Amino acid sequence: MVRLVLDMPQMFATPPPLLTPLEGGDEAEVNSGDGSRKKTRVVTQTHTFTKLEVLTLVCGCFFGIFPDQDIVKQVRPELSPPSRKAGRRGNNDDDIIQFPYFTAVRMFSAPGNMGKMVVLKAQKLRCILQYFLRVVPRMTSDPAALSAEVVDFTRVGVHVPGDEGRNRSEQTPQQLLEIIGTTSDVDGPVQEAHDDVDTRPRLHAARCVSDTLIEDLDKHLQIDFANKFAGGGVLNSGCVQEEIRFLLSPELLVSCLIFAKLEPHEAFVIHGTERYSAYQGYGGSFVFGGNFQDTIRLIAQADGRLRRECVIVGIDATDYGSARVERQYTRAHVRRDLVKAYAGFAYPDAHDGEQCWPVATGNWGCGVFQGDRELKFLIQWLAASLRHRELVYVLFERDLDLQNKVNPLLTLATSPKAREWGRQSGGLAQWLAEFLFDELSVGRGMRGAQSVLSRAATSLERALSALQLPVGQDGDAEAKQQPEKSPQTHTTSPASSESKQSPVSTPPRSEDQADAAEPSEALKKKPKTMKKELHQRTMQDFFAPKQ
C-alpha cells in the first residue's frame, strides 16, 4: 500500500479531471407539426479509472495525504485563503466550487466521552480494511488483472428549457411533461418528432418490496440517498444509507475526490464497483458482517476492458427540518425533486438492449430531512416513468404500512380502464403531474385529515369516473388477457404492459367495428364473473412476493 502511494506521481502523470458543475450548453430543438419546441437536455461528464488506480487513490485517502480542496472561480480579496471562512461546507459563496474531504484522518479519533462513536468508527474502518485485504493481494500477484477492470464516474446534469426566472412557475404540468418527456441526450442524435408517433409520457409499472435491500438488486439503478457532497459523513461519524453503501464498496470513496458539490439539477453515477463486505445494523448499531463475495458479472467494453454491471446513482434530497416541512408540497420543491430524480434516472448506460433497467429506491430524504415518504414515492414514480423505467420501492419492516397505502392507488392505476387511458393518451402520467403540481400544492393544509397517497387515490378514482373512453375501448380494455411477466424483475406487473406498447398511437375502433366484434362464449355466459376473476388474478400476481 505504501509503495502504491509513493508511485502515485508516476501512475497519474496527468492529474485526473475534477467533475465540476455542468453548464447548460446549447439547448437542442426538435421540429414538430406546429413549429419548433425546445427539449430537456441531459449532459454527462465521465472519467474512467482502472481498479488499480482506484486502489491507489483509496490508499492515499487512508494515509491522509490529500488536502481539502476547493476551486475559486473568480479571485477576490475576500476569498483569499487567509480570510476564507473555516469549514468548507459552511461556505455558500457561488464563486467557490466546493468538494468533499478525501482523507480518513477523522476516522482515527473520537472525543474521549463518546465510547460508542469509537466502536462505530472501528466497525467502519474494518469494512475499509476488508477491501484492502481482498484487493492488495490481487495487486501483488496479478496487477494486470486489476488494470483490466474499470470503474466509471459520471456527473449527470439536466437542463430544462425555461428553468430560470419566472418561466419555471408559469409552466403548466402538461407543458412540463412535454418538455421533460422529450429529451435530447448529448451522446445521441436529436430525433425528430413525427405526426404518426405518439411521444406522450406513459406511467410505467411500480411496486413495493420488503424482502430485499437496494444493494442486493442486480441490474437495477441502485439509488444512493446522497448528501450534496458525495459520501456524506462516510469518512467521519456518519453511518446511514449512503455511508453504509460506501463502506460496502470502498471504491466509491474516489467520488469524494473528483465530484464537486451537486447542484439542484445534477446527480452522480458510479458504474463498475464491487462489494466486499456484509453488514448488520444501521446508524449507531452498524457492525461489520464479514466477507461478501460479489456475483455481479463483468462485461467486456469496446476497448476490451471489463466493467462490473453495478450502477449506483446519487441524488441528494432537501433538508426541510421541523420548521420548513410544509415547503416540500409547494410546486417549486416538487419540481426540484422531480428534476433531481430525473437526472439520476437519466444515466444512459443502464439497459439491456432496448429494455431499461428498473430503479431500486426507497424513502429518499425521509429520515432526519423529514421528507414525506408518500410524496417521494409519487415523485420518483413519475421521474422513473419519464425515463421509461419501472420503479421498485424497497421498504424496511417498519415501513410496511406504506405498502398498504400504495396498494389502493396501484390497483386503480393498473385497472383495465386506467391502462387503456394511459395507452391511448398518456392520461395517467398527465394526471399524476397535475396532482403533484396543482392539487397537492393547493390543498397541502388538508394533509392532517388525509394522507398524500389517499388523496392521490381519491383524485385518480374521480378522474377515472369522469373519463369517457371511445365506444368499444372500455369493454375491450377489461377483456384484455393477463399481462406477461416483466423480464426486468421476473415478477408479473400489469402496468408494465402499458410501458411495452408501441409508441404509434392506435386509432379508436368505430361503433360498427365494436358491434361486429363477437365476445367469446365464456364472456357471453358469465361476463361479470370473468371480468372480476381476471382483475383479481392480475392484482394478485402484481403484488405477489418475489420468488
Side-chain angles (χ1 to χ4, degrees):
M1 291 172 60
V2 174
R3 175 53 56 189
L4 282 175
V5 175
L6 293 176
D7 291 342
M8 191 179 297
Q10 289 74 38
M11 181 177 294
F12 296 98
T14 301
L18 300 178
L19 303 184
T20 56
L22 297 165
E23 301 297 334
D26 297 330
E27 291 177 339
E29 291 189 355
V30 59
N31 294 324
S32 60
D34 54 356
S36 63
R37 55 191 174 96
K38 293 182 178 180
K39 301 173 66 176
T40 294
R41 189 168 179 82
V42 177
V43 186
T44 61
Q45 184 181 11
T46 301
H47 184 71
T48 301
F49 291 99
T50 67
K51 294 194 73 170
L52 182 59
E53 292 173 335
V54 169
L55 173 61
T56 302
L57 293 173
V58 176
C59 287
C61 169
F62 187 77
F63 289 129
I65 69 169
F66 292 101
D68 294 345
Q69 61 177 354
D70 284 339
I71 299 176
V72 180
K73 293 188 289 187
Q74 181 179 356
V75 178
R76 300 203 310 261
E78 61 270 24
L79 294 179
S80 59
S83 62
R84 280 178 51 192
K85 185 187 300 183
R88 301 173 347 278
R89 298 194 180 198
N91 195 330
N92 295 320
D93 198 301
D94 291 337
D95 287 326
I96 298 177
I97 300 177
Q98 300 172 284
F99 286 81
Y101 47 78
F102 186 56
T103 174
V105 294
R106 296 171 178 84
M107 299 278 285
F108 303 135
S109 64
N113 60 347
M114 298 184 67
K116 292 184 179 180
M117 184 60 64
V118 173
V119 174
L120 176 61
K121 288 188 175 182
Q123 295 297 322
K124 294 173 64 174
L125 283 170
R126 182 62 183 86
C127 292
I128 298 177
L129 292 175
Q130 178 66 20
Y131 165 67
F132 291 138
L133 290 172
R134 288 272 303 277
V135 182
V136 172
R138 288 185 58 193
M139 180 271 299
T140 304
S141 61
D142 191 4
L146 285 183
S147 298
E149 296 183 30
V150 297
V151 181
D152 289 341
F153 293 79
T154 302
R155 192 180 187 102
V156 183
V158 173
H159 299 277
V160 181
D163 208 17
E164 297 83 14
R166 297 179 57 185
N167 292 333
R168 179 169 55 186
S169 60
E170 294 173 354
Q171 288 175 343
T172 65
Q174 183 175 0
Q175 290 173 334
L176 181 62
L177 277 186
E178 290 177 353
I179 293 173
I180 297 182
T182 54
T183 305
S184 172
D185 294 343
V186 167
D187 297 331
V190 178
Q191 302 292 334
E192 293 186 357
H194 300 282
D195 293 337
D196 59 343
V197 176
D198 187 359
T199 59
R200 287 170 293 195
R202 299 284 190 265
L203 199 59
H204 286 234
R207 60 189 178 93
C208 295
V209 297
S210 57
D211 57 349
T212 187
L213 299 173
I214 293 176
E215 59 266 22
D216 295 331
L217 290 171
D218 298 346
K219 287 195 173 183
H220 286 63
L221 295 184
Q222 300 179 7
I223 302 304
D224 163 24
F225 308 146
N227 190 287
K228 58 186 176 181
F229 291 94
V234 63
L235 294 174
N236 198 348
S237 57
C239 197
V240 288
Q241 195 258 6
E242 179 178 31
E243 289 84 355
I244 291 175
R245 191 64 187 90
F246 274 55
L247 293 171
L248 302 182
S249 303
E251 293 161 338
L252 296 169
L253 292 172
V254 176
S255 63
C256 301
L257 175 67
I258 65 173
F259 285 134
K261 182 180 74 171
L262 291 177
E263 297 297 325
H265 61 284
E266 293 181 327
F268 66 80
V269 182
I270 305 169
H271 192 162
T273 58
E274 183 176 353
R275 181 177 168 185
Y276 299 92
S277 300
Y279 75 100
Q280 295 178 351
Y282 191 84
S285 64
F286 173 85
V287 293
F288 169 72
N291 182 58
F292 182 88
Q293 196 65 41
D294 200 333
T295 58
I296 298 179
R297 62 176 182 168
L298 292 164
I299 300 298
Q301 304 302 298
D303 58 2
R305 296 190 292 183
L306 303 175
R307 185 179 64 184
R308 197 170 295 272
E309 284 193 312
C310 176
V311 177
I312 297 171
V313 177
I315 52 175
D316 59 294
T318 301
D319 184 2
Y320 293 106
S322 58
R324 298 180 292 176
V325 68
E326 294 291 331
R327 296 170 55 193
Q328 63 186 300
Y329 304 97
T330 62
R331 174 178 286 198
H333 284 266
V334 170
R335 180 191 176 95
R336 181 267 180 200
D337 282 353
L338 178 64
V339 172
K340 173 67 70 171
Y342 183 92
F345 305 164
Y347 178 62
D349 198 8
H351 57 84
D352 289 326
E354 296 182 357
Q355 190 74 30
C356 295
W357 289 3
V359 174
T361 186
N363 294 334
W364 168 41
C366 299
V368 295
F369 283 5
Q370 298 191 28
D372 187 320
R373 55 185 184 162
E374 300 181 23
L375 175 62
K376 297 294 188 182
F377 173 85
L378 294 177
I379 291 174
Q380 292 182 91
W381 187 13
L382 180 57
S385 297
L386 292 174
R387 292 305 301 183
H388 314 291
R389 300 186 188 275
E390 180 186 359
L391 184 75
V392 179
Y393 204 86
V394 179
L395 300 174
F396 291 113
E397 185 176 353
R398 64 176 181 270
D399 298 317
L400 293 182
D401 63 306
L402 181 61
Q403 183 164 0
N404 297 330
K405 297 178 181 179
V406 169
N407 287 355
L409 177 62
L410 294 183
T411 301
L412 286 171
T414 55
S415 64
K417 189 173 185 179
R419 293 204 305 271
E420 187 66 18
W421 184 31
R423 187 186 68 83
Q424 288 187 27
S425 62
L428 282 176
Q430 183 176 342
W431 160 79
L432 182 53
E434 291 176 350
F435 173 78
L436 289 171
F437 284 93
D438 289 340
E439 295 184 43
L440 189 64
S441 61
V442 171
R444 62 182 186 273
M446 299 171 53
R447 288 190 334 280
Q450 196 175 22
S451 68
V452 171
L453 286 175
S454 297
R455 291 183 59 191
T458 302
S459 173
L460 180 56
E461 186 175 12
R462 184 168 58 248
L464 292 175
S465 299
L467 179 64
Q468 296 293 331
L469 291 175
V471 176
Q473 294 293 335
D474 194 1
D476 291 342
E478 295 188 12
K480 285 184 181 293
Q481 295 182 354
Q482 183 176 339
E484 297 178 356
K485 290 187 177 182
S486 170
Q488 297 174 333
T489 58
H490 306 289
T491 57
T492 303
S493 177
S496 63
S497 64
E498 174 188 325
S499 64
K500 295 179 183 177
Q501 296 290 338
S502 170
V504 180
S505 58
T506 304
R509 297 193 305 171
S510 64
E511 295 186 15
D512 295 338
Q513 290 174 323
D515 294 337
E518 290 293 331
S520 65
E521 292 297 327
L523 289 178
K524 283 182 178 180
K525 295 178 181 179
K526 297 168 56 178
K528 294 184 178 180
T529 304
M530 175 61 72
K531 293 175 185 177
K532 183 177 180 181
E533 290 176 354
L534 178 62
H535 179 64
Q536 288 178 344
R537 185 165 61 252
T538 300
M539 295 314 303
Q540 288 170 356
D541 290 340
F542 184 74
F543 295 111
K546 187 176 180 181
Q547 298 296 329

